[in-house]
């Protein structure tokens, strides 16, 4: 294992002249296998170059070796869903900060980064509206037989149950209310009940209750050791007749065997997802219009979300190097 000397902001700050020259020579890599919109790239460059940082762009790379080569001498990285593993950190000997332009940061090995003194940040809230709009669109899409002929149903008057009331969940709830839905939510980590009452959303105290009342269950939990594989047969079969599970969170939170069994036993259940399961092909073949997955994750794929998240990432990097601000650090 190579010896890694963590970057310490305080030490550099003591010498103002060193600090300025340090910033000037810093390299920031934008590594995006799935690129940002051009407008976002231009905005990111503008912010970083105004701080005298050098920008290196690696887009649409197809081989991990390209990423390993590109990180060799960079001080900072902006990534999207790109995997930042121990191997990438081994290759990036100068790396001090990784910013995941987005909410979920399960693509970055945060523990390994912490061990090496590398700061990991996300850009919370910057793409939430795009994801929330997609979640609502998916509900309507499934209610209208995937836009094929036949009598569908309306979402007005139905119960929308939100699993995790964070940035996306909250927006989905507000938009659902605007469409006339009855909104309930479960999030044991939101201790301030005013958050729910302000939005006119009923807080429920158990997952059993959430799932058993859900005409539409919108999933917004992060993929963590606790949540991976946690949504399976038991919860899904509690859902009322004709219910739809909507997943714009992560595929890993679903227990795929349990999902398959629930869909097979309950011919009324539907599953729509922005994060296709491993067994997507099989689900398509077995369950027809009761299952739909976007061909590629597209929740945050709007120009607005790209720009918001990309620019926030660039600002956070400049802020970190100039003031030491670690407000959005996720691996403290
Ligand atoms: P967020 O951090 O604002 O909210 C997450 C919420 O989950 C928090 O309120 C937290 O209290 C809650 N939570 C955590 N563990 C929980 C548990 N075990 N049970 C119940 N609640 C729990 O994140 P967000 O911006 O709302 O995004 C949510 C998730 O959506 C992200 O983690 C990411 O995986 C996914 N996402 C997907 C896309 C996409 O393109 N489809 C885009 C953005 C985010």
């Amino acid at each position: 294992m190579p010896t890694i000397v963590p970057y310490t902001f305080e030490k550099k700050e003591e010498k103002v002249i060193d600090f300025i020259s340090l910033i000037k020579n810093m390299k920031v890599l934008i590594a995006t296998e799935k690129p940002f919109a051009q407008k976002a790239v231009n905005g990111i460059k503008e912010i970083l170059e105004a701080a005298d940082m050098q920008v290196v762009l690696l887009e649409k790379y197809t081989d991990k070796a390209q990423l390993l080569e590109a990180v060799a001498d960079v001080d900072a990285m902006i990534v999207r869903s790109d995997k930042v593993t121990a191997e990438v950190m081994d290759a990036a000997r100068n790396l001090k900060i990784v910013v995941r332009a987005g909410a979920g940061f399960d693509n970055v090995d945060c523990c390994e980064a912490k061990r090496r003194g590398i700061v990991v940040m996300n850009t919370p809230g910057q793409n939430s509206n795009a994801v929330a709009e997609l979640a609502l669109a998916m509900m309507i899409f499934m209610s209208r037989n995937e836009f094929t002929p036949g009598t569908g149903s309306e979402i007005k008057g139905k119960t929308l149950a939100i699993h995790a009331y964070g940035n996306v969940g909250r927006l989905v709830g507000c938009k659902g209310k605007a469409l006339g839905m009855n909104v309930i939510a479960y999030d044991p980590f939101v201790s301030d009940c005013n958050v729910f009452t302000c939005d006119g959303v009923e807080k429920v105290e158990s997952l059993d209750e959430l799932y058993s009342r859900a005409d539409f269950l919108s999933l917004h939990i992060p993929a963590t050791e606790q949540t991976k594989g946690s949504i399976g047969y038991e919860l899904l079969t509690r859902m009322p007749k004709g219910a739809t599970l909507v997943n714009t969170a992560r595929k890993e939170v679903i227990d795929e065997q349990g999902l398959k069994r629930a869909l097979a036993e309950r011919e009324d259940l539907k599953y729509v997802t922005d994060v296709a399961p491993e067994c997507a092909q099989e689900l398509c073949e077995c369950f027809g219009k009761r299952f739909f997955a976007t061909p590629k994750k597209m929740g945050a794929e709007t120009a607005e979300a790209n720009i918001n998240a990309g620019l926030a990432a660039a600002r956070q990097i400049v802020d970190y190097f100039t003031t030491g601000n670690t407000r959005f650090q996720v691996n403290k």
Side-chain angles (χ1 to χ4, degrees):
M1 189 65 69
T3 316
I4 297 136
V5 183
Y7 173 83
T8 50
F9 175 77
E10 292 75 13
K11 278 184 200 154
K12 304 290 178 200
E13 200 180 30
E14 284 165 15
K15 287 186 185 175
V16 177
I17 294 173
D18 282 355
F19 173 70
I20 292 169
S21 59
L22 177 90
I23 289 274
K24 277 199 170 179
N25 292 322
M26 278 189 172
K27 270 193 181 175
V28 184
L29 173 69
I30 305 172
T32 49
E33 179 265 321
K34 204 165 65 172
F36 284 114
Q38 190 56 46
K39 217 171 162 184
V41 176
N42 296 345
I44 294 170
K45 280 187 173 168
E46 212 169 283
I47 291 167
L48 296 171
E49 286 170 0
D52 281 333
M53 292 178 178
Q54 293 178 49
V55 180
V56 183
L57 193 59
L58 175 69
E59 290 182 326
K60 293 185 188 168
Y61 58 94
T62 48
D63 193 336
K64 189 172 60 181
Q66 293 169 275
L67 178 63
L68 296 180
E69 193 185 335
V71 294
D73 59 349
V74 303
D75 300 278
M77 285 175 85
I78 296 176
V79 296
R80 300 189 71 203
S81 297
D82 309 77
K83 289 200 168 39
V84 184
T85 58
E87 189 183 6
V88 173
M89 294 177 211
D90 276 343
R93 299 300 303 267
N94 295 336
L95 190 62
K96 299 160 188 73
I97 177 169
V98 178
V99 183
R100 161 34 173 153
F105 45 86
D106 44 319
N107 54 317
V108 181
D109 187 337
C110 289
C111 293
E112 191 56 39
K114 186 177 176 181
R115 196 183 71 74
R116 295 161 185 255
I118 298 170
V119 169
V120 180
M121 294 186 189
N122 66 349
T123 60
Q126 301 293 342
N127 58 19
S128 313
N129 188 68
V131 183
E133 285 187 8
L134 183 72
L136 266 303
M138 284 176 145
M139 291 175 212
I140 295 173
F141 180 66
M142 294 307 271
S143 300
R144 295 300 184 94
N145 308 317
E146 300 187 5
F147 300 156
T148 58
T151 306
S153 60
E154 299 177 19
I155 63 171
K156 181 182 170 191
K158 304 296 189 304
T159 295
L160 165 58
I162 299 179
H163 189 165
Y165 208 60
N167 286 300
V168 179
R170 201 170 173 187
L171 280 169
V172 170
C174 294
K175 291 176 196 300
K177 280 193 74 71
L179 291 168
M181 302 181 87
N182 165 40
V183 183
I184 62 175
Y186 171 83
D187 191 323
F189 303 103
V190 177
S191 49
D192 181 2
C193 285
N194 287 329
V195 171
F196 300 92
T197 40
C198 280
D199 295 347
V201 165
E202 182 189 345
K203 182 181 192 239
V204 301
E205 299 299 337
S206 73
L207 280 180
D208 274 2
E209 182 180 356
L210 189 81
Y211 280 72
S212 61
R213 290 176 60 190
D215 293 316
F216 295 90
L217 190 299
S218 200
L219 262 179
H220 303 291
I221 42 174
T224 64
E225 287 318 307
Q226 289 75 41
T227 62
K228 281 181 188 169
S230 64
I231 312 300
Y233 180 82
E234 294 298 329
L235 281 177
L236 298 177
T237 49
R238 274 184 174 67
M239 292 170 78
K241 192 166 168 34
T244 302
L245 176 69
V246 182
N247 184 3
T248 56
R250 285 286 183 268
K251 70 174 179 185
E252 291 82 359
V253 301
I254 303 287
D255 162 17
E256 294 193 10
Q257 293 307 320
L259 169 72
K260 271 196 274 185
R261 192 175 150 211
L263 286 170
E265 283 180 20
R266 288 271 309 269
E267 291 187 5
D268 58 297
L269 283 185
K270 296 177 186 170
Y271 181 46
V272 59
T273 180
D274 186 37
V275 279
E278 294 301 320
C279 60
Q281 186 61 36
E282 189 186 342
L283 295 188
C284 262
E285 285 162 13
C286 295
F287 305 116
K289 286 206 176 53
R290 290 200 289 129
F291 169 74
F292 179 84
T294 52
K296 215 162 190 198
K297 185 153 73 76
M298 57 178 292
E301 283 309 324
T302 64
E304 292 88 343
N306 270 214
I307 292 165
N308 292 344
L311 268 54
R315 289 195 191 102
Q316 287 172 211
I317 287 175
V318 174
D319 204 21
Y320 174 66
F321 284 127
T322 53
T323 72
N325 188 343
T326 54
R327 180 175 166 205
F328 298 111
Q329 184 173 355
V330 292
N331 68 336
K332 278 185 180 163

